[in-house]
Amino acid sequence: MDTEKRSPVTAIIVGCGHRSLFYGQYALEHPEDMKIVGVADPDPVRRKIAKDRFSLPDSMLFGSSEELCARPRLADAIINGTMDRQHVPTSVPLLDLGYHMLLEKPFACDEDELKIIDEAVKRNRSRVMICHVLRYTPFYHSIKEHIAAGEIGDVISIQTNEYVSYDHIATCYVRGKWGNSDKCGTSMLLAKCCHDLDLMMWMAGDDEPVALSSFGGLKQFTKENAPEGCGTKCLVDCPYVDTCVFSAKSMYLDHPDRWKFYVWSALEGIENPPDEDRVALLKSDASYGKCVYRLDNNVVDRQTVSVRFRSGAVGVHCMIGGSSRAARTIKVVGTRGEIYGGFEDNRYRILKINTAPGKEYDVYDYDLNDAEVSRGHGGGDMEMCRDFVEYVRTGKESLACPSVERSVPAYLAVFEADRVMNSSVSTLEL
């Protein structure tokens, strides 16, 4: 038995948002593995949150990544939770200083950014993991294990679906920071479904994507679909404030804890802000109080991507926005069987061909429901952090490890799908 005592991996949070704070929680639950030793964020409120949560000294509070970069390397790794377009300017200088990194997805907004980060990783021999946490959920990880073990033979088809619920798409991709690609730098497919394209490529293994097509568009959340006579601000001038599905009143005041880390971010630092502050915010110029049909959102609310792999296998991903319930489903068909199931249900079924007399196929059901599964992306967040610690310590890539090199095919597929959407089939060059 290995009794060697190992020191915790030290990490600095850069971009102290919801996701990076959640990853930092791993250090509080597993102090033997990770220790948060600093934070860099321009917002003094967020720096104070990190200071209090991780007991940080004032000397390890930085107002920017540039301020941090002006110092010699102060930790083993960075947890980079900055916004998408900030990944290159924050990551590359830190990688050049010798830090390893847990980098929030999407790690690049276009091919040029992908190349810049990829070259920095190779130049510095950095250990960088992209936060594709779904790989680490019991649901997807166990499905991958069955495929990797050859239980359903060679993969010939992969079908994935993501149903983005009405409240999620309205909050994040219409009213929220990812609603306009010109402002945030990312498309809907990149911001929301890079997880799903990553899962498709991961399930395909070494089989490279070589061609794809894509269809989609903005259909529901447009000015043309605005109810007759509706206002521009739900709580100020709209007669449908009590009846509209997307009313800020029903979505946020009646459910104040739903999407609270986005909607009430302007009230950050106030523990349980009073109702009058919430109402005042939604009556102000804040986007969360505005009509979903009268904003400047331009990202698609539905898109389908079809992929052909080098082996001849095919993959299809469908993103449908505005569904009643958030859900992800998957079906992988191989030469000897198939696997299908639903992520939210945390169950899947394997059918294996059986040609014995009186048989057609054998059925194997897997129920992965567990108390821990409900925590953070179906249990994936904390498991990803654990694997990141091991990756930093040893440099060994696990079955799930979303290193930059392993993540590249999915991102190239996303960029190309958005480029050719509603046009012809495109040939991919990896």
Side-chain angles (χ1 to χ4, degrees), residues 195-377:
H195 278 311
D196 305 275
L197 271 294
D198 176 73
L199 288 169
M200 181 189 293
M201 302 306 162
W202 187 45
M203 297 298 173
D206 296 330
D207 201 357
E208 295 180 342
V210 294
L212 60 78
S213 63
S214 180
F215 297 92
L218 178 57
K219 178 176 173 61
Q220 183 176 3
F221 301 100
T222 66
K223 292 178 176 61
E224 292 74 20
N225 288 328
E228 184 177 354
C230 74
T232 59
K233 295 182 180 180
C234 299
L235 275 65
V236 175
D237 59 0
C238 188
Y240 302 100
V241 64
D242 293 314
T243 57
C244 178
V245 170
F246 300 102
S247 168
K249 178 179 181 292
S250 61
M251 291 188 71
Y252 309 130
L253 293 181
D254 293 345
H255 298 86
D257 290 332
R258 185 165 63 180
W259 307 110
K260 63 180 180 180
F261 41 85
Y262 294 133
V263 179
W264 313 122
S265 60
L267 305 176
E268 200 164 35
I270 303 175
E271 190 71 25
N272 297 317
D275 288 345
E276 54 265 30
D277 286 357
R278 300 182 199 268
V279 170
L281 179 68
L282 295 180
K283 285 184 175 181
S284 72
D285 202 43
S287 62
Y288 295 109
K290 295 181 179 180
C291 175
V292 293
Y293 301 105
R294 296 184 179 276
L295 287 163
D296 65 348
N297 58 299
N298 65 1
V299 299
V300 302
D301 51 23
R302 62 215 64 223
Q303 187 171 358
T304 297
V305 181
S306 299
V307 179
R308 184 173 75 244
F309 291 90
R310 191 170 301 282
S311 70
V314 294
V316 178
H317 174 65
C318 295
M319 184 282 294
I320 304 96
S323 62
S324 301
R325 178 197 183 212
R328 276 185 165 101
T329 63
I330 186 170
K331 184 168 186 175
V332 184
V333 180
T335 52
R336 299 206 307 268
E338 58 197 67
I339 305 175
Y340 61 92
F343 175 58
E344 282 71 24
D345 297 328
N346 216 32
R347 299 182 181 91
Y348 63 88
R349 170 172 284 187
I350 299 180
L351 305 182
K352 294 184 181 180
I353 296 172
N354 187 341
T355 58
K359 291 282 189 177
E360 186 175 359
Y361 52 80
D362 296 323
V363 179
Y364 304 88
D365 286 316
Y366 295 84
D367 187 335
L368 303 174
N369 285 290
D370 183 277
E372 288 296 311
V373 168
S374 63
R375 297 186 63 238
H377 284 102

Side-chain angles (χ1 to χ4, degrees), residues 5-235:
K5 182 176 177 60
R6 298 188 291 180
S7 299
V9 167
T10 54
I12 297 173
I13 292 175
V14 175
C16 190
H18 170 70
R19 297 305 306 149
S20 52
L21 283 173
F22 199 99
Y23 302 144
Q25 183 65 26
Y26 183 83
L28 300 180
E29 297 181 12
H30 301 277
E32 73 284 0
D33 279 348
M34 180 188 286
K35 182 178 181 180
I36 303 300
V37 297
V39 62
D41 194 290
D43 188 334
V45 173
R46 291 176 183 268
R47 292 199 301 272
K48 178 68 162 54
I49 290 172
K51 171 185 169 68
D52 295 343
R53 186 170 300 185
F54 303 110
S55 301
L56 303 177
D58 289 341
S59 61
M60 292 300 288
L61 308 180
F62 302 94
S64 66
S65 62
E66 291 83 2
E67 186 180 333
L68 173 61
C69 286
R71 300 276 297 276
R73 185 167 66 90
L74 299 172
D76 300 314
I78 299 293
I79 297 176
N80 191 335
T82 59
M83 280 296 290
D84 307 331
R85 279 294 186 193
Q86 296 176 307
H87 288 172
V88 167
T90 57
S91 297
V92 173
L94 290 165
L95 294 175
D96 286 340
L97 280 174
Y99 289 101
H100 301 299
M101 188 173 292
L102 182 63
L103 178 57
E104 188 54 270
K105 63 83 188 170
F107 81 91
C109 295
D110 54 43
E111 290 93 333
D112 290 338
E113 290 190 355
L114 184 151
K115 183 178 180 181
I116 290 170
I117 291 179
D118 187 41
E119 288 177 347
V121 170
K122 291 174 180 175
R123 178 172 66 247
N124 296 291
R125 297 182 179 179
S126 308
R127 296 168 188 173
V128 178
M129 274 177 46
I130 312 303
C131 294
H132 285 297
V133 298
L134 294 184
R135 290 189 182 202
Y136 290 94
T137 62
F139 179 79
Y140 287 112
H141 195 277
S142 57
I143 288 176
K144 173 63 177 179
E145 288 178 322
H146 290 297
I147 294 172
E151 293 185 30
I152 62 170
D154 297 329
V155 172
I156 57 178
S157 174
I158 304 169
Q159 302 170 45
T160 59
N161 298 286
E162 180 173 12
Y163 301 89
V164 185
S165 66
Y166 69 97
D167 56 302
H168 192 172
I169 194 167
T171 301
C172 296
Y173 304 100
V174 180
R175 290 177 169 133
K177 61 181 74 174
W178 294 281
N180 188 299
S181 59
D182 298 325
K183 294 179 180 179
C184 70
T186 56
S187 67
M188 179 68 169
L189 193 66
L190 182 61
K192 190 74 182 78
C193 298
C194 62
H195 278 311
D196 305 275
L197 271 294
D198 176 73
L199 288 169
M200 181 189 293
M201 302 306 162
W202 187 45
M203 297 298 173
D206 296 330
D207 201 357
E208 295 180 342
V210 294
L212 60 78
S213 63
S214 180
F215 297 92
L218 178 57
K219 178 176 173 61
Q220 183 176 3
F221 301 100
T222 66
K223 292 178 176 61
E224 292 74 20
N225 288 328
E228 184 177 354
C230 74
T232 59
K233 295 182 180 180
C234 299
L235 275 65

